[in-house]
Amino acid sequence: MTITLNWGILGAGNISGQFVHDLLVNNVDPEGSIKHTIISVGSSSASKGEDFIKSNGIKTSNNNGVEAITEEYDDFYKNGKIDIVYVGTPHTFHKEQVTQCLENGKHVLVEKPITLNAKDARELIELAKVKNKFLMEGVWTRFFPSVELIREHIFEKKTLGEVYKLFADFSMNFEVEKLPTSLRGRDIKLGAGATLDIGIYSVTYGRILLDDKLGENSTPFDTKSFLSLDPTDKVDHDSTILIKYENGKQGILTSSNHTNGPDSFVRLEGTEAVLEMWSDNPARPKNFKITFTDKSKSPIVFEEKNDYNGFIYEANSIAKEINEGKIESSVLPWSETLLVMGIMDKARLENGLIYPQEK
Ligand SMILES: NC(=O)C1=CN([C@@H]2O[C@H](COP(=O)(O)OP(=O)(O)OC[C@H]3O[C@@H](n4cnc5c(N)ncnc54)[C@H](OP(=O)(O)O)[C@@H]3O)[C@@H](O)[C@H]2O)C=CC1
Ligand SMILES: O=C1OC[C@@H](O)[C@H](O)[C@H]1O
């Protein structure tokens, strides 16, 4: 049986293009049992939407015979052919746009962070329940094949022995000082700051590699944090969150817009082995290596090679869950999203970073 999901893409920008790439690659796979049709691109301007369709190569031949259209936001929300909306706009627009999508009877996959804080996220979740529509935050990292394998090694096979410490870092020098303060990466009004933008991935590793449970069932933990706020734009470009679980496991979860991180963005230390993860982008964990203390044992290496950016894994998981009538992801349930948002709320509170929308 083939499952087909009809998508609306909201925001004709950077990440929407990368997401769409994966849907199109998937559609030309003759073996694929899940198909993703792009119905419409919602954009602030028709010409921008048309450019998006052209520059990302959306054609009837790779879109299940359907010609994608572009619509301005109001028409897009009302388009009855769209099953699910992918929201690919800056953080501060997510709350209002997700609300519009749910109110108009659409399922939603919204880019990370779901909102600026846990309170707003909770409101969206309550609305998804009332409208009986699927809602998930797009933390695509959690859906990669490597993550499932690694979690099996850590928690089921105990390949690393007892795990004690995690170092997870997402750092990318985007030469902050040279950028205009009006950009998403610097503008406090657009929710700028390393913690919400990239620190969320380090926190995600702190959750998926140190705890085998999710959300409301998670192992109790405490966090402490240090955020350095920039004197000009007032947001954090360097962020460190320390996490300590009740069972003693510790994580050092860092992010920076000032420096480039190490090749191995994750180092997880156990009594019998060390796990390292690498790829061109810490958000997409394509490869890992487990090296044993006992040098007579060969390392375990996994490398993913294909044409996907990696968004296809979350998209296919969602297609299956929606097909089964679910409104909440089993991989990233609402309570887990709220827990991560809560960690970031606390870090911001501890360091005095309040967004204008929260005042
Ligand atoms: N999963 C991942 O790896 C990544 C996720 N992201 C997330 O995706 C989201 C979007 O990021 P990105 O694609 O880089 O953003 P862009 O700056 O490329 O903006 C995306 C779109 O949002 C709309 N938009 C942008 N700025 C404004 C503004 N000031 N006012 C109104 N609308 C605006 C525009 O849509 P329109 O077409 O309507 O004009 C724009 O095309 C963020 O929340 C980010 O955290 C980003 C990068 C990677
Ligand atoms: O999610 C993200 O991952 C990659 C980064 O470059 C980007 O700023 C961020 O939004």
Side-chain angles (χ1 to χ4, degrees):
M1 188 191 68
T2 304
I3 302 172
T4 303
L5 204 51
N6 293 320
W7 290 86
I9 306 295
L10 192 58
N14 157 41
I15 202 62
S16 294
Q18 295 185 40
F19 181 78
V20 156
H21 165 91
D22 274 19
L23 303 189
L24 302 177
V25 172
N26 171 83
N27 286 344
V28 293
D29 174 3
E31 307 295 320
S33 60
I34 301 174
K35 299 289 173 203
H36 300 277
T37 303
I38 298 156
I39 299 292
S40 174
V41 175
S43 180
S44 55
S45 96
S47 65
K48 202 171 164 190
E50 277 153 22
D51 284 352
F52 180 91
I53 290 172
K54 210 186 251 174
S55 61
N56 287 290
I58 310 175
K59 303 179 186 129
T60 51
S61 56
N62 57 17
N63 197 34
N64 307 316
V66 173
E67 186 151 359
I69 60 166
T70 182
E71 291 167 297
E72 292 196 10
Y73 284 33
D74 284 349
D75 291 334
F76 175 91
Y77 292 133
K78 295 199 183 87
N79 186 332
K81 292 186 185 149
I82 297 171
D83 298 327
I84 179 163
V85 175
Y86 170 80
V87 178
T89 57
H91 327 335
T92 42
F93 303 108
H94 292 177
K95 188 177 180 197
E96 166 60 17
Q97 293 172 345
V98 172
T99 299
Q100 286 293 338
C101 295
L102 292 170
E103 290 287 0
N104 283 280
K106 286 155 178 61
H107 304 296
V108 183
L109 165 62
V110 54
E111 261 308 332
K112 41 58 55 180
I114 180 169
T115 46
L116 288 177
N117 54 47
K119 177 179 161 288
D120 287 354
R122 206 169 287 115
E123 286 179 31
L124 292 183
I125 289 165
E126 288 311 313
L127 184 61
K129 286 185 201 163
V130 170
K131 298 290 172 186
N132 197 29
K133 289 291 159 193
F134 187 92
L135 171 64
M136 195 189 94
E137 180 188 34
V139 188
W140 57 319
T141 309
R142 292 178 182 256
F143 295 81
F144 277 71
S146 67
V147 168
E148 198 179 336
L149 288 172
I150 287 171
R151 282 173 58 86
E152 210 176 279
H153 277 298
I154 300 169
F155 300 115
E156 288 166 36
K157 298 183 180 161
K158 298 262 177 192
T159 309
L160 277 73
E162 283 307 316
V163 163
Y164 281 98
K165 193 163 286 158
L166 167 71
F167 298 88
D169 181 66
F170 191 146
S171 294
M172 202 182 282
N173 181 358
F174 67 65
E175 302 193 77
V176 177
E177 284 74 19
K178 291 190 191 156
L179 291 179
T181 50
S182 57
L183 286 188
R184 177 174 87 72
R186 289 203 79 184
D187 189 352
I188 195 166
K189 296 195 289 309
L190 292 177
T195 304
L196 287 190
D197 194 40
I198 49 179
I200 189 170
Y201 295 110
S202 305
V203 173
T204 294
Y205 287 118
R207 293 287 309 131
I208 58 184
L209 303 180
L210 293 176
D211 193 5
D212 57 343
K213 303 182 195 74
L214 288 171
E216 60 209 356
N217 302 314
S218 73
T219 306
F221 59 81
D222 193 10
T223 62
K224 292 191 194 310
S225 66
F226 299 96
L227 271 52
S228 305
L229 305 190
D230 183 281
T232 309
D233 56 38
K234 315 283 185 220
V235 301
D236 62 315
H237 293 296
D238 295 277
S239 163
T240 297
I241 297 177
L242 307 174
I243 190 164
K244 177 176 161 288
Y245 286 88
E246 190 182 68
N247 55 21
K249 293 180 188 187
Q250 299 185 8
I252 298 148
L253 317 173
T254 56
S255 54
S256 173
N257 300 141
H258 282 128
T259 56
N260 289 315
D263 288 343
S264 298
F265 53 83
V266 155
R267 180 181 164 89
L268 182 67
E269 298 178 347
T271 49
E272 289 172 33
V274 169
L275 163 86
E276 287 170 290
M277 298 168 75
W278 76 97
S279 86
D280 58 340
N281 173 347
R284 37 187 228 145
K286 291 210 155 193
N287 317 304
F288 72 83
K289 181 176 182 182
I290 298 174
T291 310
F292 293 94
T293 316
D294 176 354
K295 294 297 171 214
S296 68
K297 287 189 185 171
S298 301
I300 299 170
V301 180
F302 176 85
E303 293 184 62
E304 187 192 327
K305 289 194 177 73
N306 53 43
D307 292 335
Y308 290 114
N309 289 321
F311 292 96
I312 196 60
Y313 305 118
E314 65 176 357
N316 282 348
S317 172
I318 291 169
K320 283 187 206 143
E321 305 246 33
I322 290 178
N323 188 53
E324 288 164 10
K326 306 215 176 97
I327 60 169
E328 180 179 5
S329 164
S330 55
V331 179
L332 179 47
W334 293 327
S335 62
E336 178 71 11
T337 281
L338 290 174
L339 192 141
V340 170
M341 291 307 300
I343 292 173
M344 298 194 298
D345 281 358
K346 179 168 179 266
R348 290 196 298 112
L349 190 70
E350 283 170 348
N351 293 277
L353 174 52
I354 300 166
Y355 289 106
Q357 293 84 347
E358 301 178 299
K359 284 181 182 158

